[in-house]
Amino acid sequence: MEDLLFDFISKYISLTADEKNAIVSLDIFRSIKKGTTLLKEGQKSNESYFVLKGCIRTYYIIDGEEKTTAFYTEMDALTPHCVISKAPSQYFISCIEDSIILISNSDMEVEVNSKFPKFEIMCRILSEELLAKERIDFDEFKTSSPEQRYLNLIQKRPDLIQRVPQHQLASYLGIKPQSLSRLRARILEKKS
């Protein structure tokens, strides 16, 4: 698993053997079972997540109904808003699949960044990329129809179609599961 992480990091910075050993010594790799809730609404946390293998999602429960807002898969990072705001979480984070996740906390990040300043540079670059990506995703969601959202999903993240339960996928697209079934049927009909 370390190799997956180091391959990812090498896209941004080069690591010495000492830096690699320092990361491994942090004991940050966790195997998490499908269905595990990493964060609940109302909980406080200082943990950030980086998915090496598997899939996690963020969701709210509104009027007893789950509203999925994001999926995080291999090489995706997530720092819950409550880590930054120091307030209780407003949403849930759970594993959709058995996952291997790197879990860090703010104290650990400060320590690593002070020992190895280039990590701070990499984190800044990753944060900027993530912010830009989330802005584009948000704009696309707000300006497109459910059918276009589904077609965008097929184009940009086709793996989710097979990995995510239909009701969660529908929620993510902002529609009901029955609407997703009809939408899929319409798209298939247009193709044939």
Side-chain angles (χ1 to χ4, degrees):
M1 282 299 118
E2 290 99 2
D3 290 341
L4 283 174
L5 177 63
F6 295 145
D7 286 347
F8 176 81
I9 291 172
S10 72
K11 294 175 187 170
Y12 298 93
I13 57 174
S14 58
L15 295 176
T16 65
D18 285 346
E19 291 165 336
K20 288 180 179 180
N21 290 335
I23 291 171
V24 172
S25 73
L26 293 172
D27 189 34
I28 52 180
F29 299 92
R30 300 282 180 271
S31 290
I32 314 265
K33 291 285 180 204
K34 175 182 178 175
T36 300
T37 300
L38 299 170
L39 180 67
K40 293 180 180 177
E41 177 184 20
Q43 279 185 330
K44 287 189 174 185
S45 177
N46 66 346
E47 294 182 336
S48 295
Y49 310 102
F50 184 83
V51 181
L52 287 172
K53 185 175 184 298
C55 183
I56 62 176
R57 75 177 174 124
T58 55
Y59 63 97
Y60 292 79
I61 295 183
I62 299 171
D63 298 328
E65 190 176 337
E66 291 182 5
K67 303 284 186 179
T68 300
T69 54
F71 296 104
Y72 298 85
T73 56
E74 289 76 13
M75 305 307 134
D76 283 338
L78 167 61
T79 297
H81 184 261
C82 65
V83 171
I84 297 156
S85 69
K86 309 283 190 237
S89 177
Q90 296 180 336
Y91 53 84
F92 294 79
I93 302 173
S94 66
C95 293
I96 294 177
E97 300 174 339
D98 288 344
S99 301
I100 298 173
I101 300 174
L102 188 148
I103 300 178
S104 66
N105 62 53
S106 36
D107 294 338
M108 185 186 303
E109 290 165 14
V110 167
E111 181 184 332
V112 169
N113 289 342
S114 68
K115 284 183 185 173
F116 308 105
K118 61 182 161 183
F119 278 105
E120 193 165 8
I121 293 166
M122 183 187 79
C123 289
R124 182 183 48 79
I125 293 168
L126 284 170
S127 295
E128 289 169 355
E129 287 178 354
L130 181 62
L131 184 61
K133 179 191 171 299
E134 286 188 349
R135 182 73 230 185
I136 289 167
D137 289 348
F138 179 75
D139 288 350
E140 280 182 356
F141 185 87
K142 293 292 281 183
T143 59
S144 59
S145 68
E147 182 171 337
Q148 191 56 52
R149 286 182 214 141
Y150 182 72
L151 292 171
N152 287 344
L153 186 71
I154 290 172
Q155 181 185 15
K156 293 179 181 177
R157 303 202 55 199
D159 62 307
L160 291 180
I161 306 298
Q162 301 302 317
R163 297 172 81 171
V164 174
Q166 183 168 321
H167 69 281
Q168 292 174 2
L169 205 56
S171 172
Y172 176 68
L173 295 169
I175 58 178
K176 299 285 183 200
Q178 306 87 317
S179 299
L180 179 56
S181 293
R182 286 191 299 271
L183 194 144
R184 283 178 164 166
R186 258 196 330 270
I187 290 170
L188 282 173
E189 194 174 294
K190 284 180 185 177
K191 287 182 178 180
S192 49

